[in-house]
Amino acid sequence: MEFFKKTARIMFTIGLLFFAAGCSQEPVEIHYASDECSHCKMMITDNQFASQLVTEKGKALKFDAIECMAAYHQNNEKKEELNSAKLWVSNYEQPGMWLDATEASFVRSEVIKSPMGASLLALPSYEAAENHIQDKPGRVIAWEEVTQIRMNKGMGMHK
């Protein structure tokens, strides 16, 4: 009898671990040159501009550009699964390092060519963004302004 109780506890613990891992809102790996953008359906190829949205249940949607994720989130904000989604953007200066989009700082610079033409990149802090525009022309903007950028039906962007 003791053996069955011990086995049941171990199985319950393993089940909890799988449940917790399945519901993580941490960013997932993007397979560059094979994963498709959930918004524009283009292949994701540049790790400096990639972004992703992870729902409360752990479902990850991947995007080729920050503006694609912002537009997708805004266009689908009434979907219940997106209400508490976590939004991640790639650190432009350290691709592969993910930043919380609501806490990152953004630079919009015409000399930076992002995949969808918004010339938008993400950095971990306001200071990093200020340092970036000292070397390259641009303007520091917050996430709230990023969400106001409107995408054309084509590749370009409007503000």
Side-chain angles (χ1 to χ4, degrees), residues 111-123:
V111 299
I112 301 295
K113 301 299 177 201
S114 61
M116 295 305 291
S119 304
L120 193 60
L121 60 94
L123 294 165

Side-chain angles (χ1 to χ4, degrees), residues 3-159:
F3 172 76
F4 291 113
K5 284 183 180 178
K6 205 176 219 178
T7 303
R9 269 191 244 136
I10 291 170
M11 297 302 285
F12 179 74
T13 303
I14 290 171
L16 280 178
L17 291 174
F18 277 112
F19 179 76
C23 295
S24 170
Q25 286 190 286
E26 294 299 309
V28 299
E29 181 181 0
I30 292 182
H31 301 99
Y32 295 97
S34 66
D35 283 346
E36 182 180 271
C37 177
S38 293
H39 182 67
C40 71
K41 307 301 180 199
M42 291 179 61
M43 190 178 301
I44 303 171
T45 58
D46 195 331
N47 62 0
Q48 289 182 300
F49 303 102
S51 59
Q52 56 182 294
L53 175 161
V54 183
T55 68
E56 192 173 43
K57 292 182 178 178
K59 179 181 174 186
L61 301 173
K62 303 170 187 177
F63 302 91
D64 65 339
I66 298 165
E67 57 268 31
C68 276
M69 179 178 70
Y72 183 91
H73 189 250
Q74 194 169 28
N75 293 340
N76 295 289
E77 65 188 346
K78 291 182 180 173
K79 287 184 177 178
E80 192 172 317
E81 70 175 352
L82 299 184
N83 288 341
S84 56
K86 190 102 171 155
L87 307 174
W88 299 97
V89 291
S90 179
N91 181 341
Y92 177 77
E93 293 179 343
Q94 293 181 0
M97 179 182 168
W98 293 99
L99 307 170
D100 182 330
T102 61
E103 297 175 1
S105 289
F106 299 88
V107 171
R108 197 164 189 193
S109 170
E110 297 305 320
V111 299
I112 301 295
K113 301 299 177 201
S114 61
M116 295 305 291
S119 304
L120 193 60
L121 60 94
L123 294 165
S125 66
Y126 183 82
E127 292 77 25
E130 283 286 328
N131 288 338
H132 181 84
I133 63 172
Q134 287 179 0
D135 295 335
K136 298 176 181 164
R139 188 168 60 89
V140 178
I141 62 175
W143 174 248
E144 292 74 26
E145 191 172 341
V146 171
T147 63
Q148 301 303 310
I149 297 172
R150 303 248 185 263
M151 294 185 75
N152 281 337
K153 288 187 177 183
M155 301 291 263
M157 305 291 293
H158 277 283
K159 161 88 174 98

